[in-house]
């Protein structure tokens, strides 16, 4: 018998790009995810279920084996930073950039910088690599406000069109990483459930490749 298999999807912006790609890979939820308050969905495959959770919780579900596969932004995976996870496929959806940003035309202070972000782990590693002394200030949203209010010199945030930064008098400065959504699995389940997981990776890889043509 085919073992059950669960794929954890990130709620929000990524989901809008994920569902069409899943459909192209032949995986269709049994009902409209956007119209339901449910968190678990059956699919057209008897053994495949989808769970829809907060983007930042997807790596946790996958690492602990509660979900077999996940779809996560590279930004979330960089912040989660677990050696137990692997990224078997770049889905090339929900692309954006993880960047530093500051008030437009404002020179940064020479000494220690105050950096506000929800990506505290990424920011710590990035500025350590740059050899720059920083104080990292954890925020949960609305990062753009921090430089305006004098809470921080710099923010680390996701930039897509740059409209949010511009609307708040900020400008992008340095690129930390390009971001796209990735298929994520745990190294352990890739071994134990290889026969289940690999066909899904293959069909999603084929869907991504067809889009590239
Ligand atoms: P924008 O104004 O187009 O630069 O979009 C910036 C905001 O949209 C950021 O503050 C993010 O919160 C959000 N955003 C844009 N693209 C993504 C993405 N691919 N994944 C997650 N958040 C995103």
């Amino acid at each position: 018998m085919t073992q059950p298999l669960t794929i954890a999807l990130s709620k929000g912006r990524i989901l809008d790009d994920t569902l069409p790609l899943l459909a192209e890979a032949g995986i269709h939820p049994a009902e409209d995810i956007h119209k339901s308050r449910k968190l678990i969905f059956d699919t057209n495959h008897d053994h495949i279920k989808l769970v829809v959770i907060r983007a930042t919780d997807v790596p946790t579900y996958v690492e602990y084996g509660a979900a077999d596969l996940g779809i996560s932004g590279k930004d979330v995976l960089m912040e989660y930073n677990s050696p137990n996870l692997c990224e078997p496929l770049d889905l090339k959806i929900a692309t954006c950039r993880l960047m530093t940003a500051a008030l437009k035309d404002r020179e940064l202070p020479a000494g220690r910088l105050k950096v506000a972000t929800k990506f505290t782990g990424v920011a710590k590693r990035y500025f350590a690599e740059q050899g720059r002394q920083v104080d990292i200030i954890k925020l949960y949203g609305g990062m753009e406000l921090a430089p305006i209010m004098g809470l921080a010199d710099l923010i680390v945030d996701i930039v897509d069109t740059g409209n949010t930064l511009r609307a708040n008098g900020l400008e992008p400065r340095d690129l930390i990483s390009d971001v796209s959504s990735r298929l994520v699995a745990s190294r352990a389940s890739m071994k134990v459930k290889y026969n289940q997981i690999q066909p899904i990776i293959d069909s999603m890889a084929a869907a991504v490749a067809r889009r590239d043509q």
Side-chain angles (χ1 to χ4, degrees):
M1 198 198 99
T2 326
Q3 281 183 65
L5 193 134
T6 304
I7 308 174
L9 309 183
S10 298
K11 246 191 230 170
R13 197 181 280 239
I14 295 181
L15 192 61
D16 298 338
D17 285 2
T18 300
L19 295 175
L21 185 64
L22 277 179
E24 288 164 37
I27 300 168
H28 303 271
E31 60 190 289
D32 187 341
I33 290 184
H34 287 300
K35 290 198 178 130
S36 174
R37 300 181 75 95
K38 288 210 297 199
L39 303 175
I40 306 180
F41 296 88
D42 289 325
T43 68
N44 56 323
H45 300 266
D46 283 344
H47 69 294
I48 301 178
K49 284 194 195 310
L50 305 174
V51 296
V52 181
I53 53 183
R54 269 184 86 110
T56 43
D57 289 336
V58 168
T60 311
Y61 272 75
V62 175
E63 174 162 27
Y64 289 95
D68 302 290
L69 280 169
I71 293 181
S72 266
K74 181 68 182 170
D75 52 329
V76 171
L77 293 170
M78 284 170 73
E79 184 64 23
Y80 191 77
N81 195 30
S82 166
N84 302 323
L85 294 179
C86 60
E87 294 168 29
L89 185 64
D90 182 349
L91 300 172
K92 301 185 181 170
I93 56 172
T95 53
C96 55
R97 286 156 295 155
L98 197 50
M99 300 197 69
T100 66
L103 288 174
K104 192 170 178 322
D105 301 327
R106 175 77 58 89
E107 235 177 87
L108 294 178
R112 231 178 146 81
L113 287 179
K114 288 182 289 174
V115 180
T117 185
K118 64 177 171 188
F119 300 99
T120 53
V122 171
K124 250 180 222 148
R125 292 200 300 279
Y126 173 74
F127 288 103
E129 278 163 21
Q130 303 283 311
R132 191 84 210 240
Q133 299 273 354
V134 291
D135 293 318
I136 307 276
I137 301 164
K138 169 93 185 184
L139 290 179
Y140 294 87
M143 257 75 74
E144 301 80 14
L145 193 59
I148 301 170
M149 303 297 287
L151 179 65
D153 306 301
L154 214 56
I155 62 171
V156 168
D157 200 7
I158 295 288
V159 181
D160 181 10
T161 60
N163 289 340
T164 308
L165 292 179
R166 273 190 295 276
N168 290 290
L170 275 70
E171 62 183 5
R173 296 277 170 105
D174 296 321
L175 177 70
I176 298 178
S177 177
D178 284 309
V179 171
S180 57
S181 295
R182 311 297 164 100
L183 207 51
V184 56
S186 81
R187 293 189 195 283
S189 65
M190 279 294 278
K191 286 195 191 117
V192 178
K193 288 181 109 172
Y194 178 84
N195 290 337
Q196 300 286 133
I197 291 176
Q198 195 57 43
I200 295 181
I201 297 173
D202 290 343
S203 54
M204 296 204 67
V208 174
R210 279 194 297 274
R211 287 182 163 192
D212 277 347
Q213 278 168 7

